[in-house]
């Protein structure tokens, strides 16, 4: 990634529409509920998302969410995202998503995606995928990620997916309590864990885990910064300033809206460049790779 040419790196963007697989309408009621919750029905293709970010000179990390076991819905191919990142390597990075229920077969896929497709990290959503983050079911995949010393993003806190549906769509919020990542951070010390979103209603737990475990980071996606809990802003300005990342949750929230609200949310001017780009550059080791070359 030519990060010197970018104004920011968005660490949290979603692939919404596959151009390879036909649309899977199964479970579409989750989309409609999320549209209502977020007040957005934008569903761009991968190419449209890349063009959008390129026009704004913002780098992006993109992924899908593989929830085939829990929701029974076909995922967007990880390879499709990886190919797009390879073709746009100056400003895009691909993360993969593998349902932890796939166990050792999922671990084999993770290995292949890293070594053959150039995937640089992974995305998990415990609530939507239906698993406790410390469940040994997920360990074969974690072991691969840990071996390659790559980052993994975990959804934490409330989920807009399922919100307002009968029985919350059968999804359990408790899976996304950030304290459940504490065991993962202990057992997989070479895996950089990124806790996604302000972790409502467990913000203090998220801050505690990040303070205690130096391989744990926080991305600020999914909320407008003007609604961030005050303690999150406080620690992002101080003790955690080097491990907080800009993320929008595009297309549910646009980077323009996020960055506009970020300017007036109480962040110190001296920490803002790190949050917007420099911390992501360090986490993804862009400068280290360039120096090695």
């Amino acid at each position: 990634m030519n990060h010197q040419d970018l104004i920011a790196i968005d660490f949290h963007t979603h692939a919404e529409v596959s151009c390879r697989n036909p649309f899977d309408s199964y479970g579409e009621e989750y989309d409609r509920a999320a549209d209502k919750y977020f007040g957005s029905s934008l569903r761009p293709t991968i190419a449209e998302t890349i063009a959008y970010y390129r026009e704004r000179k913002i780098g992006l990390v993109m992924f899908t969410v593989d929830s085939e076991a829990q929701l029974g819905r076909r995922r967007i191919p990880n390879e499709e995202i990886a190919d797009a990142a390879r073709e746009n390597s100056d400003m895009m990075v691909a993360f993969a998503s593998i349902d932890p229920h796939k166990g050792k077969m999922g671990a084999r896929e993770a290995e292949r995606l890293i070594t053959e497709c150039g995937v640089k990290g992974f995305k998990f959503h415990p609530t939507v995928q239906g698993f406790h983050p410390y469940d040994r079911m997920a360990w074969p995949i974690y072991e691969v990620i840990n071996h390659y010393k790559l980052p993994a993003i975990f959804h934490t806190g409330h989920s807009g997916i399922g919100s307002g549906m009968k029985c919350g769509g059968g999804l359990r919020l408790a899976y996304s309590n950030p304290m459940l990542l504490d065991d993962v951070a202990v057992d997989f010390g070479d895996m950089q864990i990124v806790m996604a979103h302000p972790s409502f209603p467990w913000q203090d737990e998220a801050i505690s885990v990040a303070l205690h475990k130096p391989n744990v980071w926080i991305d600020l996606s999914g909320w407008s910064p003007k609604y961030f809990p005050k303690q999150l802003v406080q620690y992002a300005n101080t003790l955690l300033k080097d491990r907080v990342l800009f993320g929008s949750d595009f297309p549910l929230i646009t980077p323009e809206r996020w960055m506009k609200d970020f300017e007036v949310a109480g962040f110190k001017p001296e920490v803002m460049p790190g949050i917007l780009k420099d911390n992501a550059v360090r986490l993804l080791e862009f400068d280290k790779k360039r120096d090695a070359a």
Side-chain angles (χ1 to χ4, degrees):
M1 181 180 284
N2 299 333
H3 60 84
Q4 303 91 339
D5 301 330
L6 303 171
I7 64 171
I9 297 174
D10 188 337
F11 216 83
H12 198 115
T13 72
H14 288 267
E16 291 288 332
V17 178
S18 172
C19 292
R20 296 185 183 177
N21 291 346
F23 177 71
D24 186 1
S25 61
Y26 186 85
E28 196 173 2
E29 63 270 20
Y30 288 94
D31 290 345
R32 302 289 77 79
D35 291 346
K36 182 177 180 181
Y37 179 82
F38 287 101
S40 171
S41 58
L42 187 63
R43 293 284 188 273
T45 66
I46 293 171
E48 288 169 342
T49 297
I50 294 168
Y52 177 94
Y53 275 81
R54 184 175 293 282
E55 181 180 352
R56 289 154 181 80
K57 296 185 178 180
I58 300 174
L60 72 156
V61 174
M62 181 184 284
F63 43 77
T64 185
V65 176
D66 178 358
S67 55
E68 291 181 338
Q70 169 95 331
L71 299 187
R73 196 174 193 185
R74 186 185 305 112
R75 67 180 178 181
I76 293 173
N78 288 308
E79 293 84 354
E80 183 175 354
I81 301 170
D83 288 348
R86 187 180 304 110
E87 294 163 4
N88 296 275
S89 60
D90 61 316
M91 48 81 69
M92 179 181 173
V93 169
F95 277 24
S97 183
I98 301 173
D99 193 322
H101 292 86
K102 295 177 180 176
K104 291 184 178 180
M105 185 60 75
R108 289 177 58 191
E109 180 184 4
E111 178 88 24
R112 178 181 59 81
L113 289 168
I114 294 167
T115 59
E116 298 180 13
C117 300
V119 161
K120 305 301 183 186
F122 289 80
K123 160 71 174 182
F124 297 95
H125 195 311
T127 290
V128 171
Q129 293 173 324
F131 79 108
H132 288 102
Y134 58 73
D135 193 321
R136 284 185 173 265
M137 170 185 71
W139 280 33
I141 299 175
Y142 294 165
E143 287 168 353
V144 174
I145 301 171
N146 191 72
H147 173 75
Y148 287 98
K149 300 181 179 181
L150 294 180
I153 301 174
F154 288 81
H155 173 94
T156 65
H158 183 84
S159 175
I161 309 301
S163 287
M165 296 175 66
K166 184 177 181 180
C167 302
L171 305 182
R172 290 170 168 79
L173 296 175
Y175 287 140
S176 292
N177 185 328
M179 192 57 72
L180 302 181
L181 290 166
D182 192 56
D183 283 347
V184 182
V186 170
D187 291 321
F188 298 95
D190 287 326
M191 178 169 68
Q192 299 300 308
I193 295 170
V194 179
M195 298 187 293
H197 317 309
S199 302
F200 172 81
W202 302 294
Q203 186 62 76
D204 289 341
E205 284 89 337
I207 291 171
S208 175
V209 175
L211 285 173
H212 198 259
K213 305 296 189 296
N215 60 323
V216 176
W217 306 59
I218 295 174
D219 91 33
L220 300 176
S221 64
W223 291 36
S224 162
K226 66 183 179 182
Y227 298 121
F228 286 171
K230 63 181 181 180
Q231 65 269 41
L232 177 58
V233 176
Q234 174 189 348
Y235 280 94
N237 275 331
T238 54
L239 296 177
L240 292 176
K241 65 180 185 296
D242 295 326
R243 280 185 284 128
V244 175
L245 306 159
F246 158 48
S248 68
D249 216 5
F250 184 85
L252 299 174
I253 294 178
T254 66
E256 290 103 324
R257 177 191 174 191
W258 193 98
M259 294 171 75
K260 179 181 177 181
D261 292 345
F262 179 62
E263 292 285 342
V264 295
F267 290 90
K268 295 178 180 179
E270 60 268 28
V271 308
M272 294 171 75
I275 292 172
L276 287 173
K277 185 172 72 170
D278 297 343
N279 293 344
V281 168
R282 187 161 38 82
L283 174 55
L284 294 169
E285 298 187 337
F286 287 143
D287 285 336
K288 181 185 294 187
K289 292 167 186 173
R290 187 181 64 198
D291 293 342

